[in-house]
Amino acid sequence: MSDKPQSIIGAGVPRIDGPDKLSGRANYAADNLPPNLAYGYGVFSTIASGKISQLSVDEARQMPGVIDIFHHSHFPSLYRTPSSFAQGNKVEETRLPFEDERVYYDGQFVALVVADTFENARAAARRVKVTYAADKAVANLDQGVEANGTQAGSGNHDRGDAASAFDSAAATIDATYRTPVETHNPMEMHASTAWWDNGDLTIFDASQGVVVARNALAKIFAIPPERITVHAPYIGSGFGSKLWTWPHAIATAAASRELGRPVQLVVPRQQMFTTTGHRPETRQRLRLATDDNGRLVSLRHESINTTSYTDQYVETCGSVTKSLYHCPNLTVSHETTQVNRGTPTSMRAPGAAPGLFALESAIDEMADAVGIDPVQFRLDNYAERDESKDLPFSSNHIVEATKRAADRFGWADRKPEVGSMKEGREIVGYGMAACNWEALKMACDARVSIRADGTAFASCATQDIGTGTYTIVAQAVSDVTGIPIDRITVKLGDSSYPDGPVSGGSWATATTLPAIAGAARNALDEMKRYATGSNGAFAGASSDDLEVADGGLRNADGKQVSFADILQAGRYGSADGEAHTEGADSKYSYRSFGAHFVEVRWDPGISRLRVARVVSAIDVGRVINETTARNQVEGAVVMGIGMGLFEATEYDERNARPVNNDYAEYVVPVHADQPEIDVILLDYPDLAFNEYGARGIGEIGVTGLAAAVANAVHHATGKRIRELPITLDKLMDDVPQVRSA
Amino acid sequence: MRHFDYARAESAQQAVAAHGSDREVSFLAGGTTLLDLVKLDVMQPDKIVDINGVSLDEIERLDDGRLRIGAMVTNTALARDRRVVEDYAVLSQALLAGASTQLRNKATTGGNVMQRVRCPYFRDGVSDCNKREPGSGCAAIGGVNRTVHAVLGTSDDCIATHPSDMCVAMIAIGATIEVQGPEGVREIDFADFHLLPGDTPAREHALEPGELITHVVLDAPLDGSRSGYLKLRDRQSYQFALASSAVIVQMDGNTITDARVAMGGVGTKPWRAPEVEAALKGKSASERLFAEAAKLAFENAIAYSQNGYKIPLGQQAIVRNLSDLTAA
Ligand SMILES: Cc1cc2nc3c(=O)[nH]c(=O)nc-3n(C[C@H](O)[C@H](O)[C@H](O)COP(=O)(O)OP(=O)(O)OC[C@H]3O[C@@H](n4cnc5c(N)ncnc54)[C@H](O)[C@@H]3O)c2cc1C
Ligand code: SF4
């Protein structure tokens, strides 16, 4: 069905939500200003561990406009959600806001001021006096391991005997890599606007998952999910930080119910570093061994990540390691350690992003150790089937991706000797790395209506988080019905629509499109029933004799009637279809593949490191929208450059407070840092995965990129930087050490 | 935001009168420092005197060859002014290396001179900080101090850099600050304007309470000189200097007849390096000379827990700038 020439599937259809965003009509969570709205502002803990000993609201209560101030001894009692992914009521931080007087991290909500204006709420929040009994804070991974040891994680894997294979191998490496906390920092602040009406809760929330948010809130407020509607028509991105409901949304809904009026809360940028998740710090030990021919014979990937005292979050750094390379003896293990930070959460390519930094750096080190070109080493060792699941891959073109990217990049011109490629004052470094991401697909419902005015309407309770979901849904409807894009309305981001997936895991496309297409086909079947019924345009004909053509139905004689006329004839407002599709089966291992090639330039005279060029070849099945797909990879490459060179949330090791907590000091790449980015999309449909053959493209581009940068840095400078980010000071020689404290 | 009184001034005298000096009063220019810190509750003025109506937005060439810049001239206007581009390239480049286009469009000359430190412990409103809460201590020493903390001019009480790029160029050029006070006008040598933290880091500059900067007057340009600003940082835009240099050189053939060297990102105030200048004067330009001279600037430098790399980086900023400017 999607193989016709010039299919709208694959075309670079411009975003259908673009004009709304450009003109400011797009409605974000904090843009909702219902009548009688009150504004919340948080009071946040200034210690990272201990107890509130006293909380005084006397002065704040007297401030202009203050309506109420909530805290641990003045807050309704709520219930914890079971936080089950399977049940669809997951949250990352299970502790409820203001549950008790305990403080587990700096920047934890300790009170919520509600006032008539934002400014009054904020002014009063600063007059809430809190005194604490502070305990010694555990400020980072090393301190956590020292103080608390580690706890077993999940996602472990063992095959063969990695230890003895290592001991008897021809060549080995053993290296430890570290990645820092990264904070998602979407442009749009986390925000909630909530109100209650006769016991029904409506909440506009900056959410990547309206259905799960609804279900979690239902558990927390102990009311049926039908009484809650969560809206997120637009999200100023999330990168994972908006997947699950955080304390501020719960507090906002509760305050609104207590006060009997709408309440809005926007999380300040500083607290987006504390109370809405982050990518945790990791420490990863990689041990690799090869035989005489440079084939991997042993691979161990052991990682520890930081988690909070309230919840265990496992960063599955070894998720890709299990299956990317052929290796008979392999161990992947994950452990966590508790520190005084908020609960971590998924950040774009969780597990794989930090994990592939370590693995793909280690593969480079291994190739180096045995004197094989890193591209050749990978080609020699890539797995042909998923050895962790003992399943074939549904579709795997990593060899072609690697070769095509290498060609386009000009890898053949690389002189292997460290520091040997120079241009003017700069030393040029070439590096590469594989990228990889699991292809996931969830269950999904959708509805499509073809309407009497000749337009179509599609709805699904998934979200467009800025990636283009609105547009590809319209493309799928157009593909099935032939109705042009500009006559298709798509509604997402409303939990009262048919249940759709959380926008995460790069599964939105593969999950949503089959359900949308199924619903569109069911709507066409309904249309045919109307057309063939008594008084119908094709009265008496069989549905099987009608085909869809040019926005209508046509019979074998060439008689053509438009959808609008068919519906008008029967006085029907619309022909509707719904569909339900299931998650992925387990016949294959479904994964996406690719390779990044990176050129860095190191100017030792001014210690300037920059990424000059990136070529990425990506194999994600069929590309649904050429423009938005390319944009996802380009954006992910930029994020990967940030991960490689700049990004780190710095905690004061004395008190566990995040220090560089704003957009000026938390450094992400800006335009001036952008290299030439050349993205090759392989576009091989994976029809075993779903009817469109699409696997999803949001995350894979960020995996492996930081390793490719680090490998290029090694080629240029001879320095193996095993701790991200690769800031210039790590590349400088003879840096004086501290002279005073 | 706290509640405060607001007044609008139409002239420098009015501004100073409206200021009074008994309460915590702030002049409002572009607001890019002030409003930011007020929103963070770090600056807590009782009163704000808006000086955007004061006409101090002219740039004029004085008869003695100096250039007089009104305090309300924006960073963008100053950077783009033809006289600045031609005679003081170092200043134009320094301005354009600072902040972002949007900020430069709002930021003013007076406000830039007066901008506050970027130390996150100062900005968080909570940590020990002698600048914000005299006597409380300095959390940056032994804390996170990689980017916006100094190795020159520090004390046990404060190690924050003065963040301005513009001021580094100005101190290299040489300048005078004209001030309107309750008692009339006075002049302050630019080099004396910013104060070392010593044991009074809360006192940052030489203005008396209620005094308004009306102009910055640049010294006449060095005859036949070349100048440039080199700013080194993690990302290539929109970040304060990790280390920077403002260099002006006058050459006769390959001989350096005069030189001015100043540094940003490494000092607690815009940092002029006379010892480097002396080492360069009368010498024949060479990489080796530059390296030896640059070293002198850091003889008394103190490395803190994360910023020792600024000692070599600062030298690199000087050396590269000199070699670019002296290249034939
Ligand atoms: C995100 C960010 C990044 C930045 N990056 C850089 C950078 O890379 N390099 C750089 O150099 N700067 C940078 N800046 C700082 C910027 O240059 C200053 O904020 C700006 O120059 C201040 O000027 P303003 O007119 O906005 O001052 P205002 O905010 O209006 O005032 C600042 C202070 O000066 C006082 N004041 C203002 N005018 C006068 C006067 N005429 N007389 C006496 N007192 C006065 C005010 O009362 C206030 O205390 C950055 C700022 C931000 C927010
Ligand atoms: S360096 Fe200065 S501004 Fe920063 S904490 Fe110390 S005293 Fe405060």
Side-chain angles (χ1 to χ4, degrees), chain B residues 140-163:
Chain B
I141 297 176
V144 174
N145 54 34
R146 179 179 167 272
T147 57
V148 289
H149 295 93
V151 293
L152 293 169
T154 56
S155 73
D156 290 345
D157 291 317
C158 181
I159 63 170
T161 50
H162 190 275

PDB file of all heavy atoms in Angstrom, chain B residues 140-163:
ATOM      1  N   ALA B 140      33.149  29.341  46.738  1.00  0.00           N
ATOM      2  CA  ALA B 140      33.813  28.972  45.480  1.00  0.00           C
ATOM      3  C   ALA B 140      35.198  28.382  45.717  1.00  0.00           C
ATOM      4  O   ALA B 140      35.672  27.562  44.940  1.00  0.00           O
ATOM      5  CB  ALA B 140      33.915  30.188  44.570  1.00  0.00           C
ATOM      6  N   ILE B 141      35.848  28.815  46.792  1.00  0.00           N
ATOM      7  CA  ILE B 141      37.161  28.247  47.102  1.00  0.00           C
ATOM      8  C   ILE B 141      36.937  26.816  47.590  1.00  0.00           C
ATOM      9  O   ILE B 141      36.219  26.586  48.550  1.00  0.00           O
ATOM     10  CB  ILE B 141      37.891  29.099  48.169  1.00  0.00           C
ATOM     11  CG1 ILE B 141      38.148  30.508  47.611  1.00  0.00           C
ATOM     12  CG2 ILE B 141      39.193  28.422  48.581  1.00  0.00           C
ATOM     13  CD1 ILE B 141      38.782  31.461  48.595  1.00  0.00           C
ATOM     14  N   GLY B 142      37.486  25.881  46.854  1.00  0.00           N
ATOM     15  CA  GLY B 142      37.254  24.479  47.188  1.00  0.00           C
ATOM     16  C   GLY B 142      35.957  23.928  46.628  1.00  0.00           C
ATOM     17  O   GLY B 142      35.601  22.780  46.865  1.00  0.00           O
ATOM     18  N   GLY B 143      35.224  24.750  45.874  1.00  0.00           N
ATOM     19  CA  GLY B 143      33.980  24.286  45.266  1.00  0.00           C
ATOM     20  C   GLY B 143      34.135  24.179  43.762  1.00  0.00           C
ATOM     21  O   GLY B 143      35.210  23.865  43.247  1.00  0.00           O
ATOM     22  N   VAL B 144      33.032  24.437  43.056  1.00  0.00           N
ATOM     23  CA  VAL B 144      33.061  24.396  41.595  1.00  0.00           C
ATOM     24  C   VAL B 144      33.610  25.739  41.122  1.00  0.00           C
ATOM     25  O   VAL B 144      32.981  26.778  41.328  1.00  0.00           O
ATOM     26  CB  VAL B 144      31.638  24.147  41.043  1.00  0.00           C
ATOM     27  CG1 VAL B 144      31.625  24.257  39.528  1.00  0.00           C
ATOM     28  CG2 VAL B 144      31.132  22.775  41.491  1.00  0.00           C
ATOM     29  N   ASN B 145      34.790  25.748  40.564  1.00  0.00           N
ATOM     30  CA  ASN B 145      35.405  27.033  40.206  1.00  0.00           C
ATOM     31  C   ASN B 145      36.177  26.953  38.887  1.00  0.00           C
ATOM     32  O   ASN B 145      37.148  27.661  38.673  1.00  0.00           O
ATOM     33  CB  ASN B 145      36.313  27.537  41.344  1.00  0.00           C
ATOM     34  CG  ASN B 145      37.357  26.501  41.754  1.00  0.00           C
ATOM     35  OD1 ASN B 145      37.854  25.733  40.924  1.00  0.00           O
ATOM     36  ND2 ASN B 145      37.696  26.470  43.030  1.00  0.00           N
ATOM     37  N   ARG B 146      35.714  26.117  37.985  1.00  0.00           N
ATOM     38  CA  ARG B 146      36.455  25.917  36.747  1.00  0.00           C
ATOM     39  C   ARG B 146      36.337  27.086  35.768  1.00  0.00           C
ATOM     40  O   ARG B 146      37.297  27.394  35.078  1.00  0.00           O
ATOM     41  CB  ARG B 146      35.956  24.633  36.062  1.00  0.00           C
ATOM     42  CG  ARG B 146      36.650  24.366  34.748  1.00  0.00           C
ATOM     43  CD  ARG B 146      36.167  23.083  34.071  1.00  0.00           C
ATOM     44  NE  ARG B 146      36.648  23.074  32.716  1.00  0.00           N
ATOM     45  CZ  ARG B 146      36.003  23.626  31.702  1.00  0.00           C
ATOM     46  NH1 ARG B 146      34.827  24.178  31.878  1.00  0.00           N
ATOM     47  NH2 ARG B 146      36.530  23.620  30.502  1.00  0.00           N
ATOM     48  N   THR B 147      35.147  27.689  35.674  1.00  0.00           N
ATOM     49  CA  THR B 147      34.934  28.613  34.555  1.00  0.00           C
ATOM     50  C   THR B 147      35.013  30.097  34.912  1.00  0.00           C
ATOM     51  O   THR B 147      35.676  30.846  34.200  1.00  0.00           O
ATOM     52  CB  THR B 147      33.565  28.353  33.883  1.00  0.00           C
ATOM     53  OG1 THR B 147      32.548  28.469  34.870  1.00  0.00           O
ATOM     54  CG2 THR B 147      33.521  26.982  33.243  1.00  0.00           C
ATOM     55  N   VAL B 148      34.323  30.512  35.938  1.00  0.00           N
ATOM     56  CA  VAL B 148      34.198  31.957  36.180  1.00  0.00           C
ATOM     57  C   VAL B 148      34.944  32.405  37.435  1.00  0.00           C
ATOM     58  O   VAL B 148      34.541  33.339  38.105  1.00  0.00           O
ATOM     59  CB  VAL B 148      32.715  32.390  36.229  1.00  0.00           C
ATOM     60  CG1 VAL B 148      32.110  32.326  34.834  1.00  0.00           C
ATOM     61  CG2 VAL B 148      31.913  31.540  37.198  1.00  0.00           C
ATOM     62  N   HIS B 149      36.043  31.704  37.700  1.00  0.00           N
ATOM     63  CA  HIS B 149      36.863  32.089  38.847  1.00  0.00           C
ATOM     64  C   HIS B 149      38.299  32.334  38.422  1.00  0.00           C
ATOM     65  O   HIS B 149      38.787  31.762  37.458  1.00  0.00           O
ATOM     66  CB  HIS B 149      36.746  31.049  39.961  1.00  0.00           C
ATOM     67  CG  HIS B 149      35.345  30.998  40.511  1.00  0.00           C
ATOM     68  ND1 HIS B 149      34.408  30.117  40.029  1.00  0.00           N
ATOM     69  CD2 HIS B 149      34.721  31.776  41.416  1.00  0.00           C
ATOM     70  CE1 HIS B 149      33.265  30.341  40.649  1.00  0.00           C
ATOM     71  NE2 HIS B 149      33.417  31.337  41.493  1.00  0.00           N
ATOM     72  N   ALA B 150      38.929  33.214  39.181  1.00  0.00           N
ATOM     73  CA  ALA B 150      40.186  33.820  38.746  1.00  0.00           C
ATOM     74  C   ALA B 150      41.407  33.124  39.330  1.00  0.00           C
ATOM     75  O   ALA B 150      41.308  32.343  40.286  1.00  0.00           O
ATOM     76  CB  ALA B 150      40.189  35.294  39.159  1.00  0.00           C
ATOM     77  N   VAL B 151      42.544  33.420  38.715  1.00  0.00           N
ATOM     78  CA  VAL B 151      43.834  32.972  39.254  1.00  0.00           C
ATOM     79  C   VAL B 151      44.721  34.180  39.592  1.00  0.00           C
ATOM     80  O   VAL B 151      45.782  34.023  40.173  1.00  0.00           O
ATOM     81  CB  VAL B 151      44.563  32.034  38.263  1.00  0.00           C
ATOM     82  CG1 VAL B 151      43.808  30.717  38.110  1.00  0.00           C
ATOM     83  CG2 VAL B 151      44.761  32.692  36.894  1.00  0.00           C
ATOM     84  N   LEU B 152      44.263  35.367  39.218  1.00  0.00           N
ATOM     85  CA  LEU B 152      45.016  36.589  39.495  1.00  0.00           C
ATOM     86  C   LEU B 152      44.151  37.541  40.315  1.00  0.00           C
ATOM     87  O   LEU B 152      42.958  37.695  40.030  1.00  0.00           O
ATOM     88  CB  LEU B 152      45.409  37.287  38.190  1.00  0.00           C
ATOM     89  CG  LEU B 152      46.424  36.541  37.300  1.00  0.00           C
ATOM     90  CD1 LEU B 152      46.510  37.212  35.922  1.00  0.00           C
ATOM     91  CD2 LEU B 152      47.795  36.509  37.971  1.00  0.00           C
ATOM     92  N   GLY B 153      44.761  38.167  41.304  1.00  0.00           N
ATOM     93  CA  GLY B 153      44.036  39.179  42.075  1.00  0.00           C
ATOM     94  C   GLY B 153      43.042  38.597  43.052  1.00  0.00           C
ATOM     95  O   GLY B 153      42.179  39.297  43.572  1.00  0.00           O
ATOM     96  N   THR B 154      43.143  37.317  43.316  1.00  0.00           N
ATOM     97  CA  THR B 154      42.197  36.682  44.234  1.00  0.00           C
ATOM     98  C   THR B 154      42.609  36.943  45.673  1.00  0.00           C
ATOM     99  O   THR B 154      43.742  37.341  45.946  1.00  0.00           O
ATOM    100  CB  THR B 154      42.179  35.169  44.002  1.00  0.00           C
ATOM    101  OG1 THR B 154      43.518  34.668  44.149  1.00  0.00           O
ATOM    102  CG2 THR B 154      41.679  34.839  42.603  1.00  0.00           C
ATOM    103  N   SER B 155      41.692  36.685  46.563  1.00  0.00           N
ATOM    104  CA  SER B 155      42.021  36.758  47.987  1.00  0.00           C
ATOM    105  C   SER B 155      41.364  35.568  48.670  1.00  0.00           C
ATOM    106  O   SER B 155      40.613  34.839  48.041  1.00  0.00           O
ATOM    107  CB  SER B 155      41.483  38.056  48.595  1.00  0.00           C
ATOM    108  OG  SER B 155      40.074  37.990  48.716  1.00  0.00           O
ATOM    109  N   ASP B 156      41.607  35.396  49.947  1.00  0.00           N
ATOM    110  CA  ASP B 156      40.950  34.302  50.664  1.00  0.00           C
ATOM    111  C   ASP B 156      39.463  34.556  50.832  1.00  0.00           C
ATOM    112  O   ASP B 156      38.725  33.682  51.267  1.00  0.00           O
ATOM    113  CB  ASP B 156      41.590  34.110  52.042  1.00  0.00           C
ATOM    114  CG  ASP B 156      42.992  33.544  51.920  1.00  0.00           C
ATOM    115  OD1 ASP B 156      43.335  33.046  50.822  1.00  0.00           O
ATOM    116  OD2 ASP B 156      43.738  33.617  52.912  1.00  0.00           O
ATOM    117  N   ASP B 157      39.053  35.774  50.460  1.00  0.00           N
ATOM    118  CA  ASP B 157      37.649  36.105  50.647  1.00  0.00           C
ATOM    119  C   ASP B 157      36.829  36.066  49.370  1.00  0.00           C
ATOM    120  O   ASP B 157      35.604  36.047  49.418  1.00  0.00           O
ATOM    121  CB  ASP B 157      37.522  37.499  51.278  1.00  0.00           C
ATOM    122  CG  ASP B 157      38.013  37.484  52.709  1.00  0.00           C
ATOM    123  OD1 ASP B 157      37.685  36.522  53.424  1.00  0.00           O
ATOM    124  OD2 ASP B 157      38.745  38.411  53.099  1.00  0.00           O
ATOM    125  N   CYS B 158      37.469  36.102  48.219  1.00  0.00           N
ATOM    126  CA  CYS B 158      36.707  36.063  46.969  1.00  0.00           C
ATOM    127  C   CYS B 158      37.633  35.776  45.791  1.00  0.00           C
ATOM    128  O   CYS B 158      38.733  36.327  45.723  1.00  0.00           O
ATOM    129  CB  CYS B 158      35.973  37.397  46.735  1.00  0.00           C
ATOM    130  SG  CYS B 158      34.982  37.423  45.223  1.00  0.00           S
ATOM    131  N   ILE B 159      37.173  34.928  44.885  1.00  0.00           N
ATOM    132  CA  ILE B 159      37.994  34.591  43.724  1.00  0.00           C
ATOM    133  C   ILE B 159      37.237  34.752  42.400  1.00  0.00           C
ATOM    134  O   ILE B 159      37.656  34.239  41.363  1.00  0.00           O
ATOM    135  CB  ILE B 159      38.553  33.149  43.830  1.00  0.00           C
ATOM    136  CG1 ILE B 159      37.417  32.114  43.844  1.00  0.00           C
ATOM    137  CG2 ILE B 159      39.417  32.999  45.073  1.00  0.00           C
ATOM    138  CD1 ILE B 159      37.910  30.666  43.706  1.00  0.00           C
ATOM    139  N   ALA B 160      36.105  35.444  42.423  1.00  0.00           N
ATOM    140  CA  ALA B 160      35.299  35.554  41.201  1.00  0.00           C
ATOM    141  C   ALA B 160      35.982  36.453  40.177  1.00  0.00           C
ATOM    142  O   ALA B 160      36.562  37.485  40.518  1.00  0.00           O
ATOM    143  CB  ALA B 160      33.915  36.102  41.535  1.00  0.00           C
ATOM    144  N   THR B 161      35.882  36.081  38.891  1.00  0.00           N
ATOM    145  CA  THR B 161      36.409  36.960  37.853  1.00  0.00           C
ATOM    146  C   THR B 161      35.475  38.141  37.646  1.00  0.00           C
ATOM    147  O   THR B 161      34.265  38.037  37.844  1.00  0.00           O
ATOM    148  CB  THR B 161      36.484  36.252  36.482  1.00  0.00           C
ATOM    149  OG1 THR B 161      35.218  35.647  36.216  1.00  0.00           O
ATOM    150  CG2 THR B 161      37.569  35.211  36.446  1.00  0.00           C
ATOM    151  N   HIS B 162      36.054  39.246  37.177  1.00  0.00           N
ATOM    152  CA  HIS B 162      35.187  40.273  36.600  1.00  0.00           C
ATOM    153  C   HIS B 162      34.856  39.778  35.207  1.00  0.00           C
ATOM    154  O   HIS B 162      35.761  39.497  34.413  1.00  0.00           O
ATOM    155  CB  HIS B 162      35.886  41.633  36.534  1.00  0.00           C
ATOM    156  CG  HIS B 162      34.926  42.725  36.161  1.00  0.00           C
ATOM    157  ND1 HIS B 162      34.627  43.004  34.853  1.00  0.00           N
ATOM    158  CD2 HIS B 162      34.160  43.533  36.918  1.00  0.00           C
ATOM    159  CE1 HIS B 162      33.715  43.970  34.824  1.00  0.00           C
ATOM    160  NE2 HIS B 162      33.421  44.309  36.065  1.00  0.00           N
ATOM    161  N   PRO B 163      33.567  39.635  34.879  1.00  0.00           N
ATOM    162  CA  PRO B 163      33.231  38.896  33.663  1.00  0.00           C
ATOM    163  C   PRO B 163      33.310  39.681  32.357  1.00  0.00           C
ATOM    164  O   PRO B 163      33.215  39.091  31.289  1.00  0.00           O
ATOM    165  CB  PRO B 163      31.781  38.454  33.921  1.00  0.00           C
ATOM    166  CG  PRO B 163      31.250  39.374  34.948  1.00  0.00           C
ATOM    167  CD  PRO B 163      32.401  39.948  35.709  1.00  0.00           C
TER     168      PRO B 163
END
